[in-house]
Amino acid sequence: MSSERIDRIRSRLAEALQPASLEIIDESARHAGHAGAASGGGHFIVHIVAAAFQDKSPIQRHRLVYDALGDMMQRDIHALSIQAATPGEFQSTNPER
C-alpha cells in the first residue's frame, strides 16, 4: 500500500510539475497509533526541485504541490512536509551536485 501511494504521489507531481529532482520519504511507520494514521492517511516528506517554482513564494509552491496531489490530500495523505526549490536554489545550497 505504501509503495503504491509513493508511486501515485511521484506520478502526480511528475506530471504536474516536471521536477528536476524528486524524493519522497514515507514516515508513516513513525506515526503508528496517531489519530491521522488510524484513519489510513500516511505521513510523507517531499523534497522537490522544479522550474515551476520560479518566482513563487513558499505558500504558492506548497499550493502547487497540494493542487497536483488533489484528492490524495483528503484520503491518502494525513501529513505532508514539503521542501520546494527551483533548480538554481538547489544548486546554490548543494554546490557538489
Side-chain angles (χ1 to χ4, degrees), residues 53-69:
F53 299 136
Q54 189 68 43
D55 300 322
K56 302 278 192 288
S57 71
I59 291 171
Q60 291 170 317
R61 293 173 185 200
H62 285 212
R63 177 55 48 208
L64 287 172
V65 171
Y66 295 140
D67 289 348
L69 295 173

Side-chain angles (χ1 to χ4, degrees), residues 9 42-46 65-66 69 73 77-82:
I9 292 169
H43 291 241
F44 299 92
I45 298 171
V46 170
V65 171
Y66 295 140
L69 295 173
M73 292 300 302
I77 300 170
H78 172 70
L80 182 65
S81 173
I82 302 168

